[in-house]
């Protein structure tokens, strides 16, 4: 840690990360294998020139709770987008018999057949068909879940400030219940609009 002009910089190290030595490391702040630098005292305000030179430093000025909420939203949207092709294949496998509508037609379709069918009929964009409503639904859910998990982790810490396995389990369970409770009206609205 290094203190300059009333500012405490905290460097969080990653054990297996080996980077070239930086100017901060040469001042004695560490060996140069840090992953994150954060400002400990919020009363320090960087100058405009510092923001122009390092525009990503603006992220350090965002409150931690807002950062957690946004991180949860981005993580949920990314996860849903990456797994959208699998979800689309699953839906096609479930509804293929209904879609064909003929008694003599094949009722079940396999995983590989569904992948090929989507590619043939709709092209590459077909794998992500219907992804936007799913992303819109998952953003508030995952944001609330991550935010609630961090809040419950603080609540379930023991006297020493440690979080046991049972505490993590309880925090995760409570976070899941909280996020479901918060986003349930959105799910009801989505179902009403679908019917």
């Amino acid at each position: 840690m290094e203190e300059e002009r009333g500012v405490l910089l905290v460097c969080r190290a990653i054990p297996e990360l080996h980077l070239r030595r930086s100017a901060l490391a040469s001042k004695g702040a560490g060996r140069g294998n840090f992953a994150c630098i954060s400002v400990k005292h919020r009363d320090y305000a960087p100058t405009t020139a510092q923001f122009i030179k390092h525009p990503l430093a603006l992220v350090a000025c965002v409150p931690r709770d807002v950062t957690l909420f946004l991180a949860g939203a981005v993580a949920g949207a990314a996860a849903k987008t990456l797994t959208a092709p699998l979800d689309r294949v699953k839906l096609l496998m479930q509804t293929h018999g209904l879609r064909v509508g003929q008694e003599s037609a094949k009722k079940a379709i396999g995983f590989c057949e569904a992948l090929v069918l989507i590619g043939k009929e709709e092209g590459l964009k077909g794998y992500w068909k219907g992804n936007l409503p799913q992303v819109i639904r998952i953003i508030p859910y995952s944001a609330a879940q991550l935010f609630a998990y961090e809040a419950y982790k603080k609540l379930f810490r023991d006297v020493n400030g440690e979080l046991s396995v049972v505490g993590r389990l309880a925090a995760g369970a409570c976070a899941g219940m909280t996020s479901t409770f918060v986003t349930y009206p959105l799910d009801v609205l989505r179902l009403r609009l679908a019917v």
Side-chain angles (χ1 to χ4, degrees):
M1 288 187 212
E2 183 171 314
E3 200 156 349
E4 287 183 16
R5 290 179 268 142
V7 178
L8 181 66
L9 296 177
V10 180
C11 301
R12 295 182 184 96
I14 295 179
E16 298 298 320
L17 182 65
H18 300 289
L19 300 174
R20 60 186 171 90
R21 292 181 64 84
S22 65
L24 187 61
S26 64
K27 292 181 183 178
R31 297 181 316 219
N33 61 342
F34 57 88
C36 172
I37 297 178
S38 58
V39 178
K40 193 73 170 180
H41 300 291
R42 290 287 181 175
D43 57 346
Y44 172 73
T47 64
T48 307
Q50 289 172 325
F51 279 133
I52 292 172
K53 187 175 179 182
H54 303 287
L56 286 177
L58 284 170
V59 175
C61 297
V62 177
R64 186 171 192 280
D65 294 338
V66 173
T67 305
L68 278 174
F69 200 79
L70 290 176
V74 169
K80 203 52 145 166
T81 301
L82 288 174
T83 59
L86 295 174
D87 196 39
R88 180 86 165 99
V89 167
K90 178 193 75 165
L91 286 173
L92 184 65
M93 290 171 64
Q94 290 173 344
T95 61
H96 182 71
L98 299 173
R99 199 173 72 136
V100 172
Q102 299 173 353
E103 299 237 357
S104 62
K106 184 177 173 184
K107 292 288 184 186
I109 187 172
F111 181 78
C112 293
E113 290 174 293
L115 276 174
V116 171
L117 187 64
I118 293 171
K120 280 183 183 177
E121 289 183 359
E122 301 172 33
L124 190 61
K125 289 173 92 177
Y127 292 108
W128 282 273
K129 184 178 177 183
N131 186 47
L132 184 62
Q134 290 292 333
V135 168
I136 290 171
R137 182 183 70 84
I138 204 70
I139 282 176
Y141 178 82
S142 58
Q145 187 174 20
L146 182 63
F147 183 76
Y149 179 67
E150 291 297 323
Y152 285 122
K153 274 183 12 183
K154 291 176 189 173
L155 184 68
F156 289 118
R157 292 190 193 281
D158 61 8
V159 179
N160 300 333
E162 297 292 321
L163 191 63
S164 67
V165 174
V166 175
R168 289 179 200 277
L169 180 67
C174 290
M177 288 187 287
T178 301
S179 59
T180 302
F181 179 75
V182 168
T183 59
Y184 184 73
L186 295 175
D187 280 336
V188 171
L189 181 63
R190 181 181 61 90
L191 289 173
R192 296 281 173 147
L193 290 173
V195 173

